Amino acid sequence: MNYIVISPYYPQNFQKFSIELAKQGITVLGIGQEPYDQLGHELQEAMTEYFRVSNLEDLDEVKRAVAFLFYKHGPIDRIESQNEYWLEMDAQLRTQFNVFGPKNEDIEKTKFKSKMKEIFRTAGVPVTPGRVVTTDEEVEEAVERLGLPLIAKPDNGVGAAATYKLEEPRSVREFLANWDRSVAYFLEPFVTSTEMCTFDGLVDAEGNIVWATSFDYTDTPLNILLQQKGFAYYTQMEVDPLLRQYGEAAVKAFGMKERFFHIEFFRNGDDYIAVEYNNRPAGAFAIDVYNFGYSRDLFRDYASLVAGNGFPEADGPVNHALAIARRDRFNYQISKEELLERYAANLKASLRMPEAFAELQGNDMFIFTSDDLDVIHNIIRDVETLAE
């Protein structure tokens, strides 16, 4: 099997993706813009060939790289990055070269919030109503029909970037003053719940879920970004049956195959409201958090699945796994050194967040595990409490 990995070097914790594919006997062919000497010995050894492009953003240049690898190594079986940033290009390459996996028409389902909402709705998963707006008149109509407060997000966009909260007429006017009319926006009622959770997992080549989990955010990503608050989330040891029901229905409706998925929900009393279907694993160090909580190596497990060797059993017990960050700009009541000493038995990793994720998620990231949710909550309190 010939497997092209887009951007095998970055992010660094995704390098293991290529390494584990190679261990399964898969021919790994990398395309990236970093110099070969920068890749490091282990990643170099994993790849049969690495094609360096001058600009990974240049689709034509990347297409020429794929064509060369196709000519030299024979048919390409997979093209994948696992990275949100490259998902659209991955799909364009698969479409151009007729490679297994989501094509252009498939990626539309998760690219536009308006289309995503409709798929959730047809799957029987609760969502808020919403409207796509491209003109000032459509904004005014949406405000009149949906009422305030509203959340305004680019219809084609990810995460909390370029998001506005429209609470009163003044904030609507501010949005209109800042809005580039070439970007279609999706307006929907603001959900007052600050309880956000996920249904995440992995599907095989037939679209069957082989592994699933759920984690809770301590606050919404939008609040964290706007208020520069601490960022934290922790995995659940068991998935709530209703959340699982909605998540499984959504996965079936979106119809993706041999992929990770990351679906965000608001918890709304005893029910849930779907927010977004992400056609990849959760970002930054989430894979590492899953691995520590579930005693797994998910890139190894994914590679085994791709190679046709099934999905391996876990290596050990299931625990809660907590990812929690601090920001350099704040002073905290408990020093980093004291914190790591106090919870040394629970600490799994102390990491520096890549700059690309720092604004949303903070600068220092810690991963802890425990089978006791009270311990997890104590750690959150001690990590986040600011000095007086």
Side-chain angles (χ1 to χ4, degrees), residues 53-67:
V53 294
S54 59
N55 181 8
L56 203 53
E57 306 251 9
D58 186 335
L59 179 60
D60 288 337
E61 186 180 12
V62 177
K63 283 182 177 180
R64 289 193 292 272
V66 174

Side-chain angles (χ1 to χ4, degrees), residues 99-165:
V99 173
F100 175 89
K103 308 292 196 299
N104 290 339
E105 63 271 18
D106 300 308
I107 217 74
E108 298 283 309
K109 300 174 186 177
T110 57
K111 180 180 175 182
F112 293 98
K113 291 179 175 61
S114 52
K115 294 184 179 181
M116 199 183 300
K117 289 267 187 179
E118 189 55 39
I119 294 174
F120 278 130
R121 192 175 290 109
T122 58
V125 179
V127 293
T128 57
R131 296 174 72 90
V132 177
V133 296
T134 57
T135 67
D136 293 26
E137 291 75 18
E138 289 174 345
V139 171
E140 293 171 4
E141 184 181 348
V143 170
E144 183 178 345
R145 293 206 174 191
L146 299 174
L148 295 175
L150 296 172
I151 287 292
K153 300 179 181 179
D155 192 31
N156 178 14
V158 298
T163 295
Y164 296 84
K165 185 178 180 182

Side-chain angles (χ1 to χ4, degrees), residues 279-295:
N279 199 25
R280 41 83 183 173
F285 295 105
I287 285 282
D288 305 271
V289 177
Y290 299 152
N291 286 340
F292 285 124
Y294 281 82
S295 299

